[in-house]
Amino acid sequence: MSDAIIAQGLVKHYGDVVALDGVDLRVRQGSVLGLLGPNGAGKTTVVRILATLLRTDAGEATVAGADVRTQPAQVRRRIGLSGQYAAVDEYLTGFENLDMIGRLYHLGAAASRARARELLAEFRLEDAADRPTRTYSGGMRRRLDLAGALVADPPVLFLDEPTTGLDPRGRTDMWDVIQQLVAGGTTLLLTTQYLEEADLLADEIVVIDHGRIIAQGTADSLKRDVGGERLELTLADATRLAEIEQLLAPLGSEPASIDPGRRSLLMPVANGPASLADALRLLDGTGVALDDVGLRRPTLDDVFLSLTGRTTEEQTEPEVTEPARTREGTGSRGGRHAGPPEGDPA
């Protein structure tokens, strides 16, 4: 299977800030690559370079066989892009938004209208098709934004944190749509801060931090690299966490982490069920009241904390981006899609 996206040695600076420091990526055709990292790690910069919205300072990349530096128009013919924020014209109806995009892609009037109606039905927006999008909920706007990225039926799709701000039902609906797209052969590069989202959707995961790739592999392989199981206890009284941590320390393969807010202690252990039994014996007689106790396998959250020492929500450095420009059809609508093949007059 060929690679739909290839990036080698991508570098991007903004003054003294190093946004990317030699990023290499390969995404197999028809697969999903999940790009994970804290806020400001460089995820959006990667997407904007691959979508021809930014020029790289060094390195090279091809998307669907076209070079992002020398063949930007060809790249834009073959991609769809949905950014972190729904980029829809709130004064147009849902139908008018999609019809406009189709016409900008030179699909023709009849084909643009037909494609707009098809996508509105697919994304369950038919009932709101003729309403101004300023009356849409956040979830409806996100669905319309993704529909806009699909108007030209692109073989490669970039989704930059597509479920940010959605409620649980909206996120589940979006996951269903994404899985259907991939089942149909679409290649997807997905950036996300939701680790369960990457676990569910991604064939391979790349973790980026401070503009560098620090780990990559399948979700299962990354979890194996973290190793072991976790002994997790939730106490009725958070004031006894430090005491229990010290008591159970000999059982841990690594120091425990404590969350006073959740009244919980999480400790990597090497011996699984034996360690759980030993912990219960040590706790017997201390008078500590447990609300919950058990073993669990490593999650992507554990992987991320192990690799970076923080959660995805914690900021590293601000991810600076260049102002939107109209160079070579880049447009200025916030990056819902990279623009039609021969430039975007909007």
Side-chain angles (χ1 to χ4, degrees):
M1 186 178 295
S2 60
D3 292 319
I5 301 172
I6 302 173
Q8 296 178 308
L10 297 183
V11 174
K12 185 65 181 177
H13 297 87
Y14 298 100
D16 294 333
V17 176
V18 180
L20 297 180
D21 190 13
V23 169
D24 299 330
L25 293 174
R26 284 184 177 269
V27 187
R28 299 188 314 278
Q29 184 177 344
S31 70
V32 180
L33 177 70
L35 188 60
L36 302 183
N39 286 327
K43 305 185 300 295
T44 295
T45 299
V46 170
V47 169
R48 289 174 66 83
I49 286 173
L50 294 176
T52 75
L53 298 176
L54 288 177
R55 289 187 180 273
T56 180
D57 294 331
E60 55 189 25
T62 59
V63 177
D67 189 284
V68 299
R69 271 182 176 271
T70 61
Q71 300 172 299
Q74 287 90 327
V75 171
R76 291 194 291 274
R77 287 190 184 99
R78 302 167 191 178
I79 68 171
L81 169 64
S82 180
Q84 293 181 25
Y85 307 100
V88 298
D89 189 323
E90 65 178 13
Y91 294 102
L92 298 180
T93 66
F95 171 79
E96 289 168 341
N97 267 277
L98 299 184
D99 179 48
M100 176 186 67
I101 296 170
R103 291 170 186 257
L104 290 172
Y105 271 99
H106 310 296
L107 299 185
S112 294
R113 289 194 295 268
R115 182 61 171 157
R117 293 297 180 191
E118 176 186 351
L119 288 167
L120 287 165
E122 183 177 342
F123 284 85
R124 297 185 294 105
L125 292 168
E126 285 177 296
D127 293 343
D130 299 317
R131 282 169 38 197
T133 56
R134 65 177 178 271
T135 67
Y136 283 20
S137 68
M140 293 168 69
R141 287 177 178 235
R142 292 299 295 171
R143 296 204 304 275
L144 183 65
D145 185 66
L146 180 54
L150 299 175
V151 166
D153 197 20
V156 177
L157 185 61
F158 298 106
L159 299 183
D160 192 8
E161 301 191 17
T163 61
T164 296
L166 295 185
D167 60 25
R169 170 64 187 275
R171 289 173 65 195
T172 300
D173 288 346
M174 189 68 77
W175 292 346
D176 289 341
V177 170
I178 291 171
Q179 288 172 321
Q180 291 171 17
L181 290 170
V182 176
T186 302
T187 301
L188 174 62
L189 190 150
L190 168 75
T191 78
T192 180
Q193 293 187 49
Y194 299 120
L195 299 179
E196 71 273 24
E197 186 166 273
D199 209 348
L200 174 69
L201 299 174
D203 298 297
E204 187 168 3
I205 292 171
V206 167
V207 183
I208 186 171
D209 194 20
H210 295 290
R212 295 183 179 181
I213 291 175
I214 58 174
Q216 62 186 88
T218 65
D220 284 343
S221 69
L222 291 174
K223 292 172 189 176
R224 284 196 302 270
D225 289 344
V226 171
E229 293 176 299
R230 269 72 179 143
L231 173 64
E232 186 169 23
L233 298 90
T234 303
L235 278 60
D237 181 2
T239 63
R240 302 197 65 179
L241 282 169
E243 171 195 344
I244 299 306
E245 178 188 21
Q246 185 175 4
L247 176 70
L248 300 182
L251 302 179
S253 57
E254 296 178 25
S257 59
I258 288 178
D259 185 340
R262 295 177 56 200
R263 309 187 315 281
S264 67
L265 178 148
L266 186 68
M267 176 181 289
V269 292
N271 298 319
S275 296
L276 175 59
D278 291 340
L280 292 174
R281 280 194 293 270
L282 288 171
L283 290 169
D284 189 27
T286 64
V288 67
L290 295 175
D291 284 349
D292 193 20
V293 62
L295 287 172
R296 66 173 177 83
R297 294 184 58 213
T299 65
L300 281 181
D301 297 81
D302 298 317
V303 172
F304 203 86
L305 283 168
S306 175
L307 291 169
T308 69
R310 58 192 178 280
T311 66
T312 52
E313 288 78 13
E314 293 181 58
Q315 187 84 13
T316 53
E317 296 175 355
E319 185 166 326
V320 185
T321 55
E322 294 177 351
R325 297 172 294 174
T326 56
R327 174 188 59 79
E328 299 174 323
T330 295
S332 58
R333 286 183 302 279
R336 174 179 58 224
H337 52 86
E342 302 303 331
D344 185 345

